[in-house]
Amino acid sequence: MSSAEGRGRTLDEAVDAALIELKESRRNVDIKVISETAEETVVEVTVIDHGATVATSPAPANGKAEVARGMVEGLLKHMGVRAQVTVRPGSDPITLDISGRDLGALIGWRGETLRALQSVTNVMVGRHLAEGERIIVDVERYRQRREHTVREIAMRAARQVKMTGDAITLDAMQPFERRAIHLALEGDPDVTSGSIGEEPERRVVVGPRKPAAG
Amino acid sequence: MPGRAAAERIRKAIALVNSVADGAGDEEITPTEIAEAIRDCLELNEVDLVANVRRYLGEALDAVSDGMPADFVAMTLYAALGALREGRPTD
């Protein structure tokens, strides 16, 4: 698998820089954010071998991943959806990538169908999983892209909070998106993140970190 | 759109369950809150206008009471939402 490092002012710019070097499209790569600061984002972009299924990927030792992949493949077949299911190499928790043509319907409104598919998958595979273990399902890297997008939103909000000193309330987001934001900002010494409101309208608030009393 | 209020309430219940399953780490949802959200759905008369919606919601409520995994509860609620969207009238 070939990979390249990309740098840019934004995540998109960094990814594009690496994609140009690799001569690849976003659909065929795995993106890992190495560092993200107000000035620069650095990413590692790795080309995915779409031919690699569980049988040939580094996951064969993981029987659970194999079982989950097989079940989702079967489910999609019953649904009449032509798609390829692969295990994302090195993913923890186990992540299944579904790829194919015109899979928008599998994602649904704000990822609702994708989320439902993940619930069904976890129910089907549940007895093969340990307590608390879960399977993540992603379609055409939608979830991964959303995580990157919200992380960029978080960085932008953090920059604004540092400039103005005022807290910013972001749009309502799903739990995995809020989690990505909390993780992105947890190491920032100047800002802090929390959430307000009730599901499904729960929103992240990014505000200045108050100095410790005393 | 008929069933819109019910769909909104079911989505709220699903969001609560998914929050438990996904663990954003910024809230504590109790089974009581989820059960309340499902009961809110059952209070609407419109869940009786479409086949199977009340049945699925009842099953979801039972699943919460029985301590079933969040994904199972979510799946049952998605079934209720799907039935509502399908909109097949009760016999």
Side-chain angles (χ1 to χ4, degrees):
Chain A
M1 276 193 299
S2 55
S3 62
E5 194 176 277
R7 291 168 185 271
R9 278 189 304 116
T10 64
L11 182 66
D12 277 337
E13 281 183 15
V15 172
D16 286 343
L19 289 176
I20 289 167
E21 192 179 325
L22 290 167
K23 294 181 182 143
E24 270 295 348
S25 70
R26 266 178 199 244
R27 177 175 287 214
N28 300 326
V29 297
D30 186 22
I31 300 162
K32 185 178 166 190
V33 178
I34 295 171
S35 69
E36 232 171 358
T37 64
E39 291 79 30
E40 188 184 54
T41 301
V42 182
V43 296
E44 185 186 51
V45 175
T46 307
V47 179
I48 306 158
D49 180 4
H50 280 304
T53 60
V54 168
T56 55
S57 70
N62 192 338
K64 291 179 225 177
E66 165 76 6
V67 169
R69 191 196 67 80
M71 283 186 174
V72 171
E73 206 167 59
L75 179 66
L76 294 176
K77 201 173 166 187
H78 282 296
M79 290 167 67
V81 176
R82 289 184 64 182
Q84 189 180 26
V85 185
T86 57
V87 179
R88 190 175 297 174
S91 57
D92 183 23
I94 296 166
T95 303
L96 299 178
D97 282 313
I98 302 173
S99 55
R101 292 171 71 92
D102 303 325
L103 295 183
L106 267 192
I107 296 171
W109 177 73
R110 288 179 67 181
E112 190 175 59
T113 310
L114 168 60
R115 191 61 193 73
L117 184 61
Q118 183 173 299
S119 292
V120 173
T121 302
N122 277 281
V123 171
M124 290 195 307
V125 187
R127 69 189 174 90
H128 299 279
L129 302 176
E131 180 80 28
E133 196 178 14
R134 307 196 69 242
I135 303 281
I136 304 295
V137 178
D138 206 352
V139 175
E140 291 292 358
R141 306 251 157 184
Y142 168 85
R143 190 183 162 106
Q144 195 180 38
R145 280 185 276 126
R146 277 299 299 166
E147 281 181 8
H148 287 148
T149 303
V150 296
R151 234 178 276 153
E152 194 156 298
I153 291 169
M155 293 300 175
R156 211 176 302 142
R159 279 198 291 273
Q160 204 171 325
V161 168
K162 285 173 194 174
M163 279 195 300
T164 64
D166 296 329
I168 295 174
T169 305
L170 304 177
D171 288 340
M173 288 177 190
Q174 292 189 45
F176 82 88
E177 296 170 336
R178 297 201 309 272
R179 185 167 190 273
I181 289 188
H182 297 316
L183 290 174
L185 298 181
E186 71 176 355
D188 194 315
D190 300 321
V191 299
T192 182
S193 64
S195 297
I196 56 167
E198 287 182 15
E199 300 284 4
E201 289 299 314
R202 199 159 166 80
R203 294 154 192 269
V204 173
V205 179
V206 181
R209 192 182 289 274
K210 298 208 169 44
Chain B
M1 185 190 97
R4 189 172 182 162
E8 270 176 26
R9 290 194 189 183
I10 294 171
R11 281 205 171 93
K12 181 184 166 72
I14 289 171
L16 287 173
V17 179
N18 282 346
S19 185
V20 172
D22 291 347
D26 57 9
E27 64 187 327
E28 199 68 47
I29 306 285
T30 63
T32 310
E33 286 173 79
I34 295 170
E36 269 173 26
I38 298 172
R39 281 195 202 98
D40 283 348
C41 305
L42 286 164
E43 274 176 11
L44 292 172
N45 292 332
E46 55 191 73
V47 301
D48 292 316
L49 302 177
V50 180
N52 294 325
V53 177
R54 181 171 289 279
R55 179 167 73 90
Y56 288 132
L57 289 172
E59 285 177 12
L61 192 56
D62 288 344
V64 175
S65 307
D66 295 345
M68 295 293 280
D71 281 312
F72 184 86
V73 179
M75 189 181 74
T76 316
L77 289 170
Y78 280 120
L81 190 61
L84 199 65
R85 274 189 196 150
E86 234 170 63
R88 193 165 58 82
T90 45
D91 297 327

